[in-house]
Amino acid sequence: MVVASDLSVWAWPDYPRCIFPFVLCGKPYDNCTFEGTLMWRAWCSVTSSFDQRHQWKYCETNGYGGNSFSRPCFFPSTYRNSVVSECIENEDSKLWCPTTENMDQNGKWSVCADTRISALSPGFPCHFPFNYKNKNYFNCTKIGSKQKRLWCATSYNYDQHHTWVYC
């Protein structure tokens, strides 16, 4: 059986991760965009506001890395005796996916393509990344939720501002 900690034995590519939603020209984007590109290639911001920081990358359209030679995600799949139908976030806020029908049996996985990732809640007011208990989060999380519901901070530092919403 494969557990999340087993994923750490494989090297994670040190690529920046798309942050969704991000702000471009005052408008929130929930996934990769072709807006403003001359090469007609999808891109995303790697900060919550492209308008402020102008940091971006081309979106990966295929899975990469992992231990399955960059095979694409396979959904639905079995992981920890449960059916999963979307990318899974590990303890380091990296998104990965099974690449076979049953990850519990064979342990094959890839890093999720950027085009598979989108904002869990369209538009504002989530602020990504946000800091909660000295850890950065790049997506909504259930950690700290008594109801076990996904939530996010609406500022860069939940511990200072204590503002949040459910996703």
Side-chain angles (χ1 to χ4, degrees), residues 66-153:
N67 66 356
S68 66
F69 303 103
S70 300
R71 290 185 61 195
C73 297
F74 187 101
F75 295 118
S77 180
T78 302
Y79 174 62
R80 292 186 173 174
N81 294 319
S82 296
V83 174
V84 294
S85 299
E86 60 188 7
C87 294
I88 301 164
E89 185 172 9
N90 73 2
E91 50 283 334
D92 294 324
S93 299
K94 306 260 187 192
L95 291 172
W96 64 275
C97 61
T99 57
T100 61
E101 187 174 0
N102 191 325
M103 175 141 179
D104 290 343
Q105 289 180 354
N106 57 43
K108 299 296 183 187
W109 64 279
S110 284
V111 178
C112 289
D114 297 321
T115 51
R116 280 204 157 275
I117 305 166
S118 64
L120 297 172
S121 178
F124 294 110
C126 291
H127 185 286
F128 296 112
F130 66 90
N131 190 279
Y132 172 64
K133 293 190 176 180
N134 294 317
K135 182 179 176 188
N136 286 329
Y137 290 84
F138 296 87
N139 285 299
C140 296
T141 183
K142 291 181 183 177
I143 293 174
S145 171
K146 292 177 184 172
Q147 292 79 22
K148 303 294 183 206
R149 289 181 58 188
L150 289 169
W151 69 277
C152 66

Coordinates of all heavy atoms in Angstrom, one line a residue, residues 66-153:
G66 N 7.1 12.6 -10.9 CA 6.5 11.4 -10.3 C 7.3 10.2 -10.6 O 8.5 10.2 -11.0
N67 N 6.7 9.0 -10.5 CA 7.4 7.7 -10.7 C 6.8 6.9 -11.8 O 7.0 5.8 -12.0 CB 7.4 6.9 -9.4 CG 6.0 6.4 -9.0 OD1 5.0 6.8 -9.6 ND2 6.0 5.7 -7.9
S68 N 6.0 7.6 -12.7 CA 5.3 6.9 -13.8 C 5.7 7.5 -15.1 O 4.9 7.4 -16.1 CB 3.8 7.0 -13.6 OG 3.3 8.3 -13.7
F69 N 6.9 8.1 -15.2 CA 7.4 8.6 -16.4 C 6.4 9.7 -17.0 O 6.2 9.7 -18.2 CB 7.7 7.5 -17.4 CG 8.7 6.5 -16.9 CD1 8.3 5.3 -16.4 CD2 10.1 6.9 -16.8 CE1 9.2 4.4 -15.9 CE2 11.0 6.0 -16.2 CZ 10.5 4.7 -15.8
S70 N 5.9 10.5 -16.2 CA 5.0 11.6 -16.6 C 3.7 11.2 -17.3 O 3.2 11.9 -18.1 CB 5.8 12.6 -17.5 OG 6.9 13.1 -16.8
R71 N 3.2 10.0 -16.9 CA 1.9 9.6 -17.5 C 0.8 10.6 -17.0 O 1.0 11.2 -15.9 CB 1.6 8.2 -17.0 CG 2.5 7.2 -17.7 CD 2.2 5.8 -17.4 NE 0.8 5.5 -17.8 CZ 0.1 4.4 -17.4 NH1 0.6 3.6 -16.6 NH2 -1.1 4.2 -17.9
P72 N -0.2 10.7 -17.7 CA -1.3 11.6 -17.3 C -2.1 11.0 -16.1 O -2.1 9.8 -15.8 CB -2.2 11.7 -18.6 CG -1.9 10.4 -19.3 CD -0.5 10.1 -19.0
C73 N -2.8 11.9 -15.5 CA -3.7 11.5 -14.3 C -4.7 10.5 -14.8 O -5.2 10.6 -16.0 CB -4.4 12.7 -13.8 SG -3.3 14.0 -13.1
F74 N -5.1 9.6 -13.9 CA -6.1 8.6 -14.2 C -7.2 8.8 -13.2 O -7.0 8.5 -12.0 CB -5.5 7.2 -14.2 CG -6.5 6.1 -14.6 CD1 -6.4 5.6 -15.9 CD2 -7.5 5.7 -13.8 CE1 -7.2 4.6 -16.3 CE2 -8.4 4.7 -14.2 CZ -8.3 4.2 -15.5
F75 N -8.4 9.2 -13.6 CA -9.5 9.4 -12.7 C -10.7 8.7 -13.3 O -10.9 8.7 -14.5 CB -9.9 10.9 -12.6 CG -8.8 11.6 -11.9 CD1 -8.2 12.7 -12.6 CD2 -8.4 11.4 -10.6 CE1 -7.2 13.4 -12.0 CE2 -7.4 12.1 -10.0 CZ -6.8 13.1 -10.7
P76 N -11.6 8.1 -12.5 CA -11.4 7.9 -11.0 C -10.3 6.8 -10.8 O -10.0 6.0 -11.6 CB -12.7 7.4 -10.5 CG -13.4 6.8 -11.7 CD -12.8 7.5 -12.9
S77 N -9.7 6.9 -9.6 CA -8.7 6.0 -9.2 C -8.9 5.6 -7.7 O -9.6 6.4 -7.0 CB -7.3 6.6 -9.4 OG -6.3 5.7 -9.0
T78 N -8.3 4.5 -7.3 CA -8.4 4.1 -5.9 C -7.1 4.6 -5.2 O -6.0 4.2 -5.6 CB -8.6 2.6 -5.7 OG1 -9.8 2.3 -6.4 CG2 -8.7 2.2 -4.3
Y79 N -7.2 5.3 -4.1 CA -6.1 5.7 -3.2 C -6.5 5.6 -1.8 O -7.6 6.2 -1.4 CB -5.6 7.1 -3.6 CG -4.6 7.6 -2.7 CD1 -3.3 7.0 -2.6 CD2 -4.8 8.8 -1.9 CE1 -2.3 7.5 -1.7 CE2 -3.8 9.3 -1.0 CZ -2.6 8.6 -1.0 OH -1.6 9.1 -0.1
R80 N -5.8 4.9 -1.0 CA -6.1 4.6 0.4 C -7.6 4.1 0.6 O -8.3 4.5 1.4 CB -6.0 5.9 1.3 CG -4.5 6.3 1.4 CD -4.4 7.5 2.3 NE -3.0 7.8 2.6 CZ -2.6 8.8 3.3 NH1 -3.4 9.6 3.8 NH2 -1.3 9.0 3.5
N81 N -7.9 3.1 -0.3 CA -9.2 2.5 -0.3 C -10.4 3.4 -0.5 O -11.5 3.1 -0.2 CB -9.4 1.7 1.0 CG -8.4 0.5 1.1 OD1 -8.2 -0.2 0.1 ND2 -7.9 0.3 2.3
S82 N -10.1 4.6 -1.1 CA -11.2 5.5 -1.5 C -11.0 5.9 -2.9 O -9.9 5.8 -3.5 CB -11.1 6.8 -0.6 OG -11.3 6.5 0.7
V83 N -12.2 6.2 -3.5 CA -12.1 6.7 -4.9 C -11.8 8.2 -5.0 O -12.4 9.0 -4.2 CB -13.5 6.4 -5.6 CG1 -13.5 7.0 -7.0 CG2 -13.8 4.9 -5.6
V84 N -10.8 8.5 -5.8 CA -10.4 9.9 -5.9 C -10.7 10.3 -7.4 O -10.5 9.5 -8.3 CB -8.9 10.2 -5.6 CG1 -8.7 10.0 -4.1 CG2 -8.0 9.3 -6.4
S85 N -11.1 11.6 -7.5 CA -11.5 12.1 -8.9 C -10.8 13.4 -9.2 O -11.2 14.1 -10.1 CB -13.0 12.2 -9.0 OG -13.6 10.9 -8.8
E86 N -9.9 13.8 -8.4 CA -9.2 15.1 -8.6 C -7.8 15.0 -8.0 O -7.5 14.1 -7.3 CB -10.0 16.2 -8.0 CG -10.2 16.1 -6.5 CD -11.1 17.2 -6.0 OE1 -11.7 17.9 -6.7 OE2 -11.2 17.2 -4.7
C87 N -7.0 16.0 -8.3 CA -5.6 16.0 -7.8 C -5.6 16.1 -6.3 O -6.5 16.6 -5.7 CB -4.9 17.2 -8.4 SG -4.7 17.1 -10.2
I88 N -4.6 15.5 -5.7 CA -4.5 15.4 -4.3 C -3.3 16.3 -3.8 O -2.2 16.3 -4.4 CB -4.2 14.0 -3.9 CG1 -5.3 13.1 -4.4 CG2 -4.0 13.8 -2.3 CD1 -5.0 11.6 -4.4
E89 N -3.5 17.1 -2.7 CA -2.5 17.9 -2.2 C -1.7 17.2 -1.1 O -2.3 16.6 -0.2 CB -3.1 19.2 -1.6 CG -2.1 20.2 -1.2 CD -2.7 21.6 -0.8 OE1 -3.9 21.7 -0.7 OE2 -1.9 22.5 -0.6
N90 N -0.4 17.2 -1.2 CA 0.4 16.5 -0.1 C 0.7 17.5 1.0 O 0.3 18.7 0.9 CB 1.7 15.9 -0.7 CG 2.7 16.8 -1.1 OD1 2.6 18.1 -0.9 ND2 3.8 16.3 -1.6
E91 N 1.4 17.1 2.0 CA 1.7 18.0 3.1 C 2.6 19.2 2.8 O 2.7 20.1 3.5 CB 2.3 17.2 4.3 CG 3.4 16.2 4.0 CD 3.1 14.9 3.4 OE1 1.9 14.4 3.5 OE2 4.0 14.4 2.7
D92 N 3.3 19.1 1.6 CA 4.1 20.3 1.1 C 3.3 21.2 0.2 O 3.9 21.9 -0.6 CB 5.4 19.8 0.5 CG 6.3 19.1 1.5 OD1 6.3 19.5 2.7 OD2 6.9 18.1 1.1
S93 N 2.0 21.0 0.1 CA 1.1 21.8 -0.8 C 1.4 21.6 -2.3 O 1.2 22.4 -3.1 CB 1.3 23.3 -0.5 OG 0.8 23.6 0.8
K94 N 2.0 20.4 -2.6 CA 2.2 20.0 -4.0 C 1.0 19.1 -4.4 O 0.5 18.3 -3.7 CB 3.5 19.2 -4.2 CG 4.7 19.9 -3.6 CD 5.5 20.5 -4.7 CE 6.8 21.0 -4.1 NZ 7.5 21.9 -4.9
L95 N 0.5 19.3 -5.7 CA -0.6 18.6 -6.2 C -0.1 17.4 -7.1 O 0.7 17.6 -8.0 CB -1.5 19.5 -7.0 CG -2.3 20.5 -6.1 CD1 -3.0 21.5 -7.0 CD2 -3.2 19.8 -5.2
W96 N -0.6 16.2 -6.8 CA -0.2 15.1 -7.5 C -1.5 14.2 -7.8 O -2.6 14.5 -7.3 CB 0.8 14.2 -6.7 CG 0.2 13.7 -5.5 CD1 0.2 14.3 -4.3 CD2 -0.4 12.4 -5.3 NE1 -0.4 13.5 -3.3 CE2 -0.8 12.3 -3.9 CE3 -0.6 11.3 -6.1 CZ2 -1.4 11.2 -3.4 CZ3 -1.2 10.2 -5.6 CH2 -1.6 10.2 -4.2
C97 N -1.3 13.2 -8.7 CA -2.5 12.4 -9.1 C -2.0 11.0 -9.4 O -0.9 10.8 -9.8 CB -3.1 13.0 -10.3 SG -2.1 13.1 -11.8
P98 N -2.9 10.0 -9.1 CA -2.6 8.6 -9.5 C -2.6 8.5 -11.1 O -3.3 9.3 -11.7 CB -3.8 7.8 -9.0 CG -4.5 8.8 -8.0 CD -4.2 10.1 -8.4
T99 N -1.8 7.6 -11.6 CA -1.7 7.5 -13.0 C -2.2 6.1 -13.5 O -2.1 5.7 -14.6 CB -0.3 7.7 -13.5 OG1 0.6 6.8 -12.9 CG2 0.1 9.1 -13.3
T100 N -2.8 5.4 -12.6 CA -3.4 4.1 -12.9 C -4.7 4.0 -12.1 O -5.1 4.8 -11.3 CB -2.5 2.9 -12.5 OG1 -2.3 3.0 -11.1 CG2 -1.2 2.9 -13.2
E101 N -5.5 2.9 -12.5 CA -6.8 2.7 -11.9 C -6.7 2.5 -10.3 O -7.6 2.8 -9.6 CB -7.5 1.6 -12.5 CG -8.9 1.4 -12.1 CD -9.6 0.3 -12.9 OE1 -9.0 -0.3 -13.8 OE2 -10.8 0.1 -12.6
N102 N -5.6 1.9 -9.9 CA -5.5 1.6 -8.4 C -4.1 1.9 -7.9 O -3.2 1.1 -8.0 CB -5.9 0.1 -8.2 CG -6.1 -0.2 -6.7 OD1 -5.4 0.4 -5.9 ND2 -7.0 -1.1 -6.4
M103 N -4.0 3.1 -7.3 CA -2.7 3.5 -6.8 C -2.3 2.6 -5.6 O -1.1 2.4 -5.4 CB -2.7 5.0 -6.4 CG -1.5 5.4 -5.7 SD -1.0 7.0 -6.2 CE 0.5 7.1 -5.2
D104 N -3.3 2.1 -4.9 CA -2.9 1.3 -3.7 C -2.2 0.1 -4.1 O -1.3 -0.4 -3.4 CB -4.2 0.9 -3.0 CG -4.9 2.0 -2.3 OD1 -4.3 3.1 -2.0 OD2 -6.1 1.9 -1.9
Q105 N -2.4 -0.5 -5.3 CA -1.8 -1.7 -5.8 C -0.4 -1.4 -6.4 O 0.5 -2.2 -6.2 CB -2.7 -2.4 -6.8 CG -3.9 -3.0 -6.1 CD -4.7 -3.8 -7.1 OE1 -4.5 -3.7 -8.3 NE2 -5.7 -4.5 -6.6
N106 N -0.3 -0.3 -7.2 CA 1.0 -0.1 -7.9 C 1.7 1.1 -7.6 O 2.9 1.3 -8.0 CB 0.7 -0.2 -9.4 CG -0.3 0.8 -9.9 OD1 -0.3 1.9 -9.4 ND2 -1.2 0.3 -10.7
G107 N 1.1 2.1 -6.9 CA 1.9 3.3 -6.4 C 2.3 4.2 -7.5 O 3.2 5.1 -7.2
K108 N 1.8 4.2 -8.7 CA 2.2 5.1 -9.8 C 1.5 6.4 -9.7 O 0.3 6.5 -9.5 CB 2.0 4.5 -11.1 CG 2.7 3.1 -11.3 CD 4.2 3.4 -11.3 CE 5.0 2.1 -11.6 NZ 6.4 2.2 -11.4
W109 N 2.3 7.5 -9.9 CA 1.7 8.9 -9.8 C 2.6 9.9 -10.6 O 3.7 9.6 -11.0 CB 1.7 9.3 -8.3 CG 3.1 9.5 -7.7 CD1 3.8 8.5 -7.2 CD2 3.8 10.7 -7.6 NE1 5.0 9.0 -6.7 CE2 5.1 10.3 -6.9 CE3 3.6 12.0 -7.9 CZ2 6.0 11.3 -6.7 CZ3 4.6 12.9 -7.6 CH2 5.8 12.6 -7.0
S110 N 1.9 11.1 -10.8 CA 2.6 12.2 -11.5 C 2.2 13.5 -10.8 O 1.2 13.5 -10.1 CB 2.1 12.3 -13.0 OG 2.7 11.3 -13.8
V111 N 3.0 14.5 -11.1 CA 2.6 15.9 -10.6 C 1.5 16.3 -11.5 O 1.5 16.1 -12.8 CB 3.8 16.8 -10.6 CG1 3.4 18.2 -10.2 CG2 4.9 16.3 -9.8
C112 N 0.4 16.9 -11.0 CA -0.7 17.4 -11.8 C -0.3 18.4 -12.8 O 0.4 19.4 -12.5 CB -1.8 17.9 -10.9 SG -2.6 16.6 -10.0
A113 N -0.9 18.3 -14.0 CA -0.7 19.4 -15.0 C -1.4 20.7 -14.5 O -2.4 20.6 -13.8 CB -1.3 19.0 -16.3
D114 N -0.9 21.8 -14.8 CA -1.5 23.1 -14.4 C -2.9 23.2 -14.9 O -3.7 23.9 -14.3 CB -0.6 24.3 -14.9 CG 0.8 24.3 -14.3 OD1 0.9 23.9 -13.1 OD2 1.7 24.6 -15.0
T115 N -3.2 22.7 -16.1 CA -4.5 22.8 -16.7 C -5.5 22.0 -15.9 O -6.7 22.1 -16.2 CB -4.5 22.4 -18.2 OG1 -3.8 21.2 -18.3 CG2 -3.7 23.5 -19.0
R116 N -5.1 21.1 -15.0 CA -6.1 20.3 -14.2 C -6.4 21.1 -12.9 O -7.3 20.7 -12.2 CB -5.4 19.0 -13.8 CG -5.5 17.9 -14.8 CD -5.4 16.6 -14.2 NE -6.0 15.6 -15.0 CZ -7.3 15.3 -15.0 NH1 -8.2 15.9 -14.3 NH2 -7.8 14.4 -15.8
I117 N -5.6 22.1 -12.6 CA -5.8 22.8 -11.4 C -6.6 24.1 -11.7 O -6.4 24.8 -12.6 CB -4.4 23.2 -10.8 CG1 -3.5 22.0 -10.6 CG2 -4.6 24.0 -9.5 CD1 -2.1 22.3 -10.4
S118 N -7.5 24.4 -10.8 CA -8.3 25.6 -10.9 C -8.7 26.1 -9.5 O -8.5 25.3 -8.6 CB -9.5 25.5 -11.8 OG -10.4 24.6 -11.2
A119 N -9.2 27.3 -9.4 CA -9.6 27.8 -8.1 C -10.8 26.9 -7.7 O -11.7 26.6 -8.4 CB -10.0 29.2 -8.2
L120 N -10.8 26.5 -6.4 CA -11.9 25.7 -5.9 C -13.1 26.6 -5.7 O -14.2 26.1 -5.6 CB -11.4 25.1 -4.6 CG -10.3 24.1 -4.7 CD1 -9.8 23.6 -3.4 CD2 -10.7 22.9 -5.6
S121 N -12.9 27.8 -5.6 CA -14.0 28.8 -5.4 C -13.8 29.9 -6.4 O -12.8 30.7 -6.2 CB -14.1 29.3 -4.0 OG -15.1 30.2 -3.9
P122 N -14.6 30.1 -7.4 CA -14.3 31.1 -8.4 C -14.2 32.5 -7.9 O -15.0 32.9 -7.0 CB -15.5 31.0 -9.4 CG -16.0 29.7 -9.2 CD -15.8 29.3 -7.7
G123 N -13.3 33.3 -8.4 CA -13.2 34.7 -8.0 C -12.6 35.0 -6.6 O -12.0 34.1 -6.1
F124 N -12.9 36.1 -6.1 CA -12.4 36.5 -4.8 C -13.2 35.8 -3.8 O -14.3 35.3 -4.1 CB -12.5 38.0 -4.6 CG -11.7 38.8 -5.6 CD1 -12.2 39.5 -6.6 CD2 -10.3 38.8 -5.4 CE1 -11.4 40.2 -7.5 CE2 -9.5 39.5 -6.3 CZ -10.0 40.2 -7.3
P125 N -12.9 35.8 -2.5 CA -11.9 36.6 -1.9 C -10.7 35.8 -1.4 O -10.0 36.4 -0.6 CB -12.7 37.2 -0.7 CG -13.6 36.1 -0.3 CD -13.9 35.3 -1.6
C126 N -10.5 34.6 -1.7 CA -9.4 33.8 -1.2 C -8.1 34.6 -1.6 O -8.0 35.1 -2.7 CB -9.3 32.4 -1.8 SG -10.6 31.4 -1.2
H127 N -7.1 34.5 -0.8 CA -5.8 35.1 -1.0 C -4.8 33.9 -1.0 O -4.6 33.3 0.0 CB -5.4 36.1 0.0 CG -4.1 36.8 -0.3 ND1 -2.9 36.2 -0.2 CD2 -3.8 38.0 -0.8 CE1 -1.9 37.0 -0.5 NE2 -2.5 38.1 -0.9
F128 N -4.2 33.6 -2.2 CA -3.2 32.5 -2.3 C -1.8 33.1 -2.7 O -1.8 34.0 -3.5 CB -3.6 31.5 -3.3 CG -4.9 30.8 -2.9 CD1 -6.0 31.0 -3.6 CD2 -4.9 29.9 -1.8 CE1 -7.2 30.3 -3.3 CE2 -6.1 29.3 -1.5 CZ -7.2 29.5 -2.2
P129 N -0.8 32.6 -2.1 CA -0.8 31.7 -0.9 C -1.2 32.5 0.3 O -1.0 33.7 0.4 CB 0.6 31.2 -0.8 CG 1.5 32.3 -1.5 CD 0.6 32.9 -2.5
F130 N -1.6 31.8 1.3 CA -1.9 32.4 2.6 C -1.1 31.6 3.7 O -0.8 30.4 3.5 CB -3.3 32.5 3.0 CG -4.1 31.2 3.2 CD1 -4.1 30.6 4.4 CD2 -4.7 30.6 2.1 CE1 -4.8 29.4 4.6 CE2 -5.4 29.4 2.3 CZ -5.4 28.8 3.5
N131 N -0.8 32.2 4.8 CA -0.1 31.6 5.9 C -1.0 31.3 7.0 O -1.8 32.2 7.5 CB 1.1 32.5 6.3 CG 2.0 31.8 7.3 OD1 1.7 31.6 8.5 ND2 3.1 31.3 6.8
Y132 N -1.0 30.0 7.5 CA -1.8 29.6 8.6 C -0.9 28.7 9.5 O -0.4 27.7 9.0 CB -3.0 28.8 8.1 CG -3.8 28.2 9.2 CD1 -4.5 28.9 10.2 CD2 -3.9 26.8 9.3 CE1 -5.2 28.3 11.2 CE2 -4.7 26.2 10.3 CZ -5.3 27.0 11.2 OH -6.1 26.3 12.2
K133 N -0.7 29.1 10.7 CA 0.1 28.4 11.7 C 1.5 28.2 11.1 O 2.0 27.0 11.1 CB -0.6 27.2 12.2 CG -1.8 27.4 13.0 CD -2.4 26.2 13.6 CE -3.5 26.6 14.5 NZ -4.1 25.4 15.2
N134 N 2.1 29.2 10.6 CA 3.4 29.2 10.0 C 3.6 28.2 8.8 O 4.8 27.8 8.6 CB 4.5 28.8 11.1 CG 4.5 29.9 12.2 OD1 4.5 31.1 11.8 ND2 4.5 29.5 13.4
K135 N 2.6 27.9 8.1 CA 2.7 27.1 6.9 C 2.0 27.9 5.8 O 0.9 28.4 6.0 CB 2.1 25.8 7.1 CG 2.2 24.9 5.9 CD 1.7 23.5 6.1 CE 1.8 22.7 4.8 NZ 1.1 21.4 4.9
N136 N 2.6 27.9 4.6 CA 1.9 28.5 3.4 C 1.0 27.5 2.7 O 1.3 26.3 2.6 CB 3.0 29.0 2.4 CG 3.7 30.2 2.9 OD1 3.1 31.0 3.6 ND2 4.9 30.4 2.5
Y137 N -0.2 28.0 2.4 CA -1.2 27.2 1.7 C -1.4 27.8 0.3 O -1.6 29.0 0.2 CB -2.5 27.1 2.5 CG -2.3 26.2 3.7 CD1 -1.8 26.8 4.9 CD2 -2.6 24.9 3.7 CE1 -1.6 26.0 6.0 CE2 -2.5 24.1 4.8 CZ -2.0 24.7 6.0 OH -1.8 23.9 7.1
F138 N -1.5 27.0 -0.7 CA -1.6 27.5 -2.1 C -3.0 27.1 -2.7 O -3.3 27.4 -3.8 CB -0.5 26.9 -3.0 CG 0.8 27.3 -2.6 CD1 1.6 26.7 -1.7 CD2 1.3 28.5 -3.2 CE1 2.8 27.1 -1.3 CE2 2.6 28.9 -2.8 CZ 3.3 28.3 -1.9
N139 N -3.8 26.4 -1.9 CA -5.2 26.0 -2.2 C -6.0 26.0 -0.9 O -5.5 26.1 0.2 CB -5.2 24.6 -2.8 CG -4.7 24.6 -4.2 OD1 -5.3 25.3 -5.1 ND2 -3.7 23.8 -4.5
C140 N -7.3 25.9 -1.1 CA -8.1 25.8 0.1 C -7.7 24.5 0.8 O -7.2 23.6 0.3 CB -9.6 25.6 -0.4 SG -10.2 27.1 -1.2
T141 N -8.0 24.5 2.1 CA -7.6 23.4 3.0 C -8.7 23.1 4.0 O -9.5 23.9 4.3 CB -6.3 23.7 3.8 OG1 -5.9 22.6 4.5 CG2 -6.4 24.9 4.7
K142 N -8.6 21.9 4.5 CA -9.6 21.5 5.6 C -8.9 21.5 7.0 O -9.5 21.4 8.0 CB -10.0 20.0 5.4 CG -11.0 19.9 4.2 CD -11.4 18.4 4.1 CE -12.3 18.3 2.8 NZ -12.7 16.9 2.7
I143 N -7.6 21.7 6.9 CA -6.8 21.8 8.2 C -7.3 22.9 9.0 O -7.4 24.1 8.6 CB -5.3 21.9 7.9 CG1 -4.8 20.6 7.2 CG2 -4.5 22.2 9.1 CD1 -3.4 20.7 6.7
G144 N -7.6 22.6 10.3 CA -8.1 23.6 11.2 C -9.6 23.8 11.2 O -10.1 24.6 12.0
S145 N -10.3 23.2 10.3 CA -11.7 23.3 10.2 C -12.4 22.3 11.1 O -12.3 21.1 10.8 CB -12.2 23.2 8.8 OG -13.6 23.1 8.7
K146 N -13.2 22.7 12.1 CA -13.9 21.8 12.9 C -14.9 21.0 12.2 O -15.2 19.9 12.5 CB -14.5 22.5 14.1 CG -13.5 23.1 15.1 CD -14.2 23.9 16.2 CE -13.1 24.5 17.1 NZ -13.7 25.4 18.0
Q147 N -15.5 21.6 11.1 CA -16.5 21.0 10.3 C -15.9 20.2 9.2 O -16.6 19.6 8.4 CB -17.5 22.0 9.7 CG -18.4 22.7 10.7 CD -17.6 23.8 11.5 OE1 -16.6 24.3 11.0 NE2 -18.1 24.1 12.6
K148 N -14.5 20.2 9.1 CA -13.8 19.5 8.0 C -14.2 19.9 6.6 O -14.3 19.2 5.6 CB -14.1 17.9 8.1 CG -13.6 17.3 9.4 CD -12.2 17.4 9.6 CE -11.7 16.8 10.9 NZ -10.5 17.3 11.5
R149 N -14.5 21.3 6.5 CA -14.9 21.9 5.2 C -13.7 22.6 4.7 O -12.9 23.2 5.5 CB -16.0 22.8 5.4 CG -17.4 22.1 5.6 CD -18.5 23.1 5.8 NE -18.7 23.9 4.6 CZ -19.5 24.9 4.5 NH1 -20.3 25.3 5.5 NH2 -19.6 25.6 3.4
L150 N -13.6 22.8 3.4 CA -12.5 23.5 2.8 C -12.7 25.0 3.1 O -13.8 25.5 3.0 CB -12.5 23.3 1.2 CG -12.1 21.9 0.8 CD1 -12.3 21.8 -0.7 CD2 -10.6 21.7 1.0
W151 N -11.6 25.7 3.4 CA -11.6 27.1 3.6 C -10.3 27.7 3.2 O -9.4 27.0 2.8 CB -11.8 27.4 5.1 CG -10.6 27.0 6.0 CD1 -10.3 25.7 6.4 CD2 -9.5 27.8 6.4 NE1 -9.1 25.8 7.1 CE2 -8.6 27.0 7.1 CE3 -9.3 29.2 6.2 CZ2 -7.5 27.6 7.7 CZ3 -8.1 29.7 6.8 CH2 -7.2 28.9 7.5
C152 N -10.3 29.1 3.1 CA -9.1 29.8 2.7 C -9.1 31.1 3.5 O -10.1 31.6 3.9 CB -9.0 30.0 1.2 SG -10.3 31.1 0.6
A153 N -7.9 31.7 3.6 CA -7.8 33.0 4.2 C -8.0 34.1 3.2 O -7.8 33.9 2.0 CB -6.4 33.2 4.8

